[in-house]
Amino acid sequence: MHEWALAEAVISSATQIAEKEGLKAVKEVKIRIGELQQVELDIFEFALSQLKTGILQEARFVIETVRARFRCRVCSYEWFFERNRLTGDSAEAIHFIPEAIYAFIKCPRCNSPDFEVQEGRGIWLESIIGVR
Amino acid sequence: MDPRLSIIDERLKGIKRIIAISSGKGGVGKSLIASTLALLLVRKGFRVGLLDLDFTSPSTHVILGVMNIYPKEDKGIIPADVYGIRYMSIVAYSRDETLPLRGADLSNALIELFAVTRWGDIDFLVIDMPPGISDATLDVLRLVKKIEFLIVTTSSVLAFETVKKLAKLLVELKIPILGVIENMRLGEESAISRLTANLGLRFLGTIPFEVDIENALGNIDALLRTGFAKRLDEIISGCGLFKILKS
């Protein structure tokens, strides 16, 4: 997912939650990003700073990257994502649609494409701190 | 909380109508109808998008003859322009590779595509749905608020049996169904129009089986000259359902 689209989704989502919780101002938003998204953090943080308005004006964004870990459903082998083992094209495809990984990666032990992304996919709002 | 879900309405707000081409089972011609419908609507002067949601077996790119699709990046993804259609398919990312996806992964990919794709202001988004009523269909029903369904069947009672299940679900959820098209009709006799009426749905018309259509795949000019495309045009022009009301 593109950094700007991602930031837009975070701002929209955090605003909705803050309004629902009756917050007057948000102080901090904690975000977890899966490594599989290969987000450029500088661009993402810049996008957040440009897009935050209103209730999020004063918010600080704390971003944690979660390493991508896979587990083969056939032979139970576990391994980590290694971007430098991918071609530029396939890394970019995974950046936009992380599930494209199933087109480019197989279990290093048994070669099965039937594996699970145990951690490190997607983006989550972990917590929002604000004043009522 | 998954923040992608909160942005989907925003991404779809410039689209006037979203039409899902669906069926209870595979092999009834959904992709061909979705692709040709998109082409016909463009020719009628509408602004049209086409989204191939059949992630594990995409085929609209083959029908349209576009093997390399390069959506642009601009604060998200801008669909590629294919013969005037704003076109998006997972093959832009999976390329020519096999993409084996389990249900949860399929859902994730679908949410991601809806969350990042910037369709802009268009009249129609035509969605080529995967067959049946599993994850992708349920996700579309959950995420796309203004969805309308166009159901495709063949003349076979086997295909129609699965249509009944799909239609029942949509009716229960109060999702609009434009009607049913009978595709690949062989012979004179068919019970599909009567069976459709029995379900309380509108029968939109019949498209005869056409042996030579295979030769037109990948060439849109040849495709639009087929009896199939002409008959589909008659159906969509005659039913009066493919209009945009001026606001």
Side-chain angles (χ1 to χ4, degrees), chain A:
Chain A
M1 190 176 188
H2 192 280
E3 286 78 3
W4 277 86
L6 198 61
E8 205 181 334
V10 166
I11 296 292
S12 164
S13 190
T15 303
Q16 280 177 23
I17 292 169
E19 285 172 353
K20 194 175 157 197
E21 294 297 322
L23 300 181
K24 283 188 190 137
V26 173
K27 296 292 178 194
E28 183 187 275
V29 180
K30 270 194 185 156
I31 305 160
R32 280 163 65 90
I33 299 182
E35 183 192 15
L36 219 48
Q37 305 276 156
Q38 303 165 76
V39 164
E40 295 278 351
L41 285 180
D42 289 353
I43 301 172
F44 182 55
E45 284 172 326
F46 176 72
L48 287 171
S49 72
Q50 295 296 300
L51 293 169
K52 65 175 186 176
T53 52
I55 204 167
L56 290 171
Q57 191 71 54
E58 303 300 321
R60 187 170 77 95
F61 292 92
V62 179
I63 302 162
E64 183 195 352
T65 304
V66 181
R67 205 169 170 199
R69 188 161 56 91
F70 310 124
R71 184 174 185 275
C72 178
R73 285 194 173 95
V74 177
C75 75
S76 302
Y77 185 74
E78 293 191 16
W79 75 102
F80 287 100
F81 177 62
E82 290 178 68
R83 190 190 188 284
N84 56 13
R85 296 182 78 140
L86 295 167
T87 64
D89 268 5
S90 51
E92 189 181 278
I94 294 164
H95 167 63
F96 281 109
I97 307 290
E99 282 64 40
I101 196 160
Y102 291 100
F104 304 113
I105 287 187
K106 292 187 170 57
C107 170
R109 188 156 81 181
C110 74
N111 209 33
S112 169
D114 187 10
F115 61 86
E116 183 184 357
V117 180
Q118 290 202 297
E119 264 196 314
R121 191 258 176 267
I123 177 162
W124 293 90
L125 290 191
E126 187 80 351
S127 65
I128 292 178
I129 298 171
V131 289
R132 286 188 202 274

Side-chain angles (χ1 to χ4, degrees), chain B residues 38 44 51 73 105 143-144 154 156 159 169 209 221 225:
Chain B
K44 290 179 190 300
L51 171 62
E73 299 175 42
D105 299 312
L143 301 170
V144 184
T154 64
S156 166
L169 176 75
F209 183 78
D221 293 323
R225 283 195 300 269

